[in-house]
Amino acid sequence: MKVGVIGLGSMGMGAALSLLRAGHEVTGCDMREAARAEFAAAGGAVAAKASELPQDTEALVVLVVNAAQTEAALFGEDGALPRLAPGAVIVSSATMGPDAARALARKAAERQVLYLDAPVSGGAVRAREGAMTVMASGPANAFGAAGPVLDAIATKVWNLGEEPGIGATVKVVHQLLAGVHIAVAAEAMALGIRAGADPRQLYEVVTSAAGNSWMFENRMARVLDGDDAPRSAVDIFVKDLGLVTDMARGLDFPVPLASQAQQLFTAARAMGQGGKDDGFVIRVWQAMTGIKLPGE
């Protein structure tokens, strides 16, 4: 299958490599030369602009940052739409609000291409293993057309219904949990350090007990190693928790924990940490209390 992947970041690169391993004819698109070079070295074709994708591309996975980038990648001046084959399917996997997903689906339908509202989760490691979770909604023919792509990039594909926007809704709720879990993991680790607990022993105790979470186990391991290279950056959760509060506001629904977590990530960004791994929101507590983090 002739597949394009727009966005060769931590998740997009993994998806593109997984599609390549599955035997598809894959072109990875990214403006960054280093990302293109990495994918080319793995045997994939590359493009710097979506408008440079191969003609008659049959499926397009879009793993950019947000709805605005997705719209530009598909329908903008250098967008991919003219390169798509008749009946091609768009697998739209950026995290966005449900209204944005529905608007993009309408644009795709007007241009007679299929659209799957299909945000993903799993992180960079699972993406490279072809083991992401996909939270998808869209018509049955879009699921059918995207089947070979989804088989290559995911081990779990949730079919959440025929209406675009449901997948986006579920992802926004997921990001509420993910963001709050990361923030509280950092708070707990910072409190333990401030109180004099050995951080590695604290980590071992928590990860073997009922208070553990996937985010604590994953993110605090990086904090212990002093590894702030971004797999998922602080800036992502400033954005995604903003989507949570926006969606909740439209429903007259209070989300106090998500709002507080967003403020903590915003504080980290204000400190110049926006491009760092999101677990390093812990530096907000470091700035307030003077604790020393492992490896420093």
Side-chain angles (χ1 to χ4, degrees):
M1 192 173 191
K2 189 182 289 188
V3 185
V5 178
I6 299 179
L8 297 176
S10 57
M11 302 290 278
M13 180 66 77
L17 292 170
S18 297
L19 286 160
L20 202 60
R21 283 197 310 272
H24 296 286
E25 183 182 339
V26 186
T27 301
C29 177
D30 199 291
M31 66 177 62
R32 296 167 301 148
E33 185 177 352
R36 298 197 303 273
E38 180 182 348
F39 189 58
V46 295
K49 299 178 181 179
S51 57
E52 297 172 353
L53 289 168
Q55 194 66 47
D56 292 327
T57 294
E58 299 168 274
L60 185 63
V61 180
V62 187
L63 265 163
V64 292
V65 172
N66 54 30
Q69 288 189 8
T70 301
E71 184 169 18
L74 295 173
F75 308 115
E77 183 178 348
D78 288 316
L81 189 70
R83 313 303 289 177
L84 300 184
V89 61
I90 296 165
V91 180
S92 177
S93 296
T95 301
M96 65 183 72
D99 288 344
R102 285 188 282 266
L104 289 170
R106 286 193 295 270
K107 275 195 164 188
E110 289 167 2
R111 290 157 176 81
Q112 299 183 325
V113 292
L114 302 172
Y115 182 95
L116 204 61
D117 171 23
V120 297
S121 181
V125 172
R126 291 185 186 177
R128 286 179 180 255
E129 292 172 350
M132 292 193 293
T133 295
V134 180
M135 313 162 208
S137 63
N141 56 350
F143 272 100
V149 170
L150 299 175
D151 288 344
I153 68 174
T155 52
K156 181 63 180 179
V157 178
W158 290 96
N159 185 333
L160 300 171
E162 293 192 356
E163 293 299 322
I166 303 172
T169 297
V170 171
K171 179 61 187 290
V172 169
V173 173
H174 174 275
Q175 292 305 87
L176 184 161
L177 289 165
V180 169
H181 285 179
I182 294 167
V184 77
E187 181 174 279
M189 179 61 78
L191 175 62
I193 293 171
R194 181 69 175 85
D198 178 272
R200 291 195 178 274
Q201 288 185 333
L202 174 62
Y203 178 83
E204 290 169 4
V205 170
V206 171
T207 55
S208 69
N212 190 34
S213 69
W214 191 92
M215 286 300 190
F216 182 94
E217 187 166 348
N218 182 267
R219 291 336 198 245
M220 292 306 104
R222 299 176 196 168
V223 169
L224 290 175
D225 291 339
D227 179 9
D228 64 3
R231 285 74 162 183
S232 173
V234 164
D235 282 341
I236 294 296
F237 276 96
V238 175
K239 172 186 74 77
D240 287 1
L241 289 169
L243 293 174
V244 173
T245 56
D246 287 347
M247 187 173 81
R249 188 180 304 111
L251 298 168
D252 294 326
F253 190 93
V255 283
L257 298 181
S259 298
Q260 184 60 51
Q262 187 192 24
Q263 289 301 304
L264 292 164
F265 285 105
T266 300
R269 180 164 72 177
M271 293 166 53
Q273 301 296 309
K276 303 299 184 182
D277 191 81
D278 51 32
F280 283 81
V281 68
I282 196 171
R283 288 183 174 139
V284 174
W285 285 272
Q286 182 183 35
M288 291 189 292
T289 66
I291 59 173
K292 185 176 180 180
L293 297 180
E296 294 185 348

